[in-house]
Amino acid sequence: IPVPFSIQTKNQGGTKVEFSLPDEDQGISIMVLPGAIRDFYGRVNDSIQWSFTRVAERSTGSISLKLNNLIPERGLLQLVDDKDVVIRERTFSGVFKTMFARLHPGNYRLRIIIDDNNNGKWDPGDHLTQTLPEEVVYYRDTLMVRANWEVEVEW
């Protein structure tokens, strides 16, 4: 069934576009016909098709987080699921506020990597150079996200 949509160019060159679709649980297929897109050099596209499922915002939850007076002042904040798979991550410094939106219902944990060398990732130790692995600190509670709910956390 065709669905009404709008397209907005997101950069000056017109190479990034954003589709606005209704907020409904549904499968979506986007088809770009041959010759619909022309690049700077005059080349055109072949047929392109993407298929995906969009989950309605009311079927997801969110976590609102405020980090207060943490030591160290800088690090990497990660949101992980119950299998320790990283779902989202953000770098932070000082007092920090963030929102993890559109999360599938389930259990999540927060962890902070004390990023000593500021490279934006966890580094393991090295026995040869006698370097210890970067420290990882977990938030004390598991966060249960429910559909259409917002969990507020102050750490």
Side-chain angles (χ1 to χ4, degrees), residues 37-56:
I37 301 172
R38 181 178 310 273
D39 72 4
F40 181 76
Y41 301 104
R43 296 177 295 201
V44 295
N45 69 296
D46 197 356
S47 56
I48 302 170
Q49 184 168 349
W50 296 280
S51 296
F52 55 93
T53 302
R54 179 172 175 177
V55 178

Side-chain angles (χ1 to χ4, degrees), residues 47 59 64 81 87 103 107 132 135:
S47 56
S59 300
S64 175
D81 64 9
I87 305 300
L103 297 170
N107 293 323
L132 294 173
E135 189 177 350

Side-chain angles (χ1 to χ4, degrees), residues 23-151:
D23 190 26
E24 300 173 5
D25 288 320
Q26 61 185 2
I28 295 173
S29 180
I30 297 175
M31 182 182 299
V32 180
L33 298 175
I37 301 172
R38 181 178 310 273
D39 72 4
F40 181 76
Y41 301 104
R43 296 177 295 201
V44 295
N45 69 296
D46 197 356
S47 56
I48 302 170
Q49 184 168 349
W50 296 280
S51 296
F52 55 93
T53 302
R54 179 172 175 177
V55 178
E57 193 167 348
R58 68 181 177 277
S59 300
T60 63
S62 62
I63 297 174
S64 175
L65 174 67
K66 181 178 181 185
L67 300 177
N68 291 321
N69 302 326
L70 289 175
I71 299 172
E73 294 234 344
R74 305 168 56 109
L76 184 66
L77 171 70
Q78 294 183 329
L79 177 71
V80 297
D81 64 9
D82 53 358
K83 296 180 179 91
D84 258 6
V85 175
V86 177
I87 305 300
R88 311 252 174 90
E89 66 181 10
R90 306 232 167 50
T91 57
F92 70 89
S93 61
V95 176
F96 177 75
K97 288 183 182 181
T98 191
M99 166 86 74
F100 296 110
R102 296 187 69 94
L103 297 170
H104 293 289
N107 293 323
Y108 296 91
R109 296 188 69 198
L110 294 168
R111 70 180 174 201
I112 290 177
I113 296 173
I114 299 171
D115 194 12
D116 292 328
N117 58 2
N118 292 322
N119 66 350
K121 65 179 186 173
W122 178 79
D123 293 310
D126 186 351
H127 185 70
L128 295 175
T129 61
Q130 297 183 350
T131 306
L132 294 173
E134 291 179 327
E135 189 177 350
V136 178
V137 180
Y138 281 87
Y139 183 66
R140 67 181 176 275
D141 297 327
T142 299
L143 306 173
M144 184 157 72
V145 173
R146 297 180 182 176
N148 212 18
W149 280 50
E150 180 179 330
V151 179

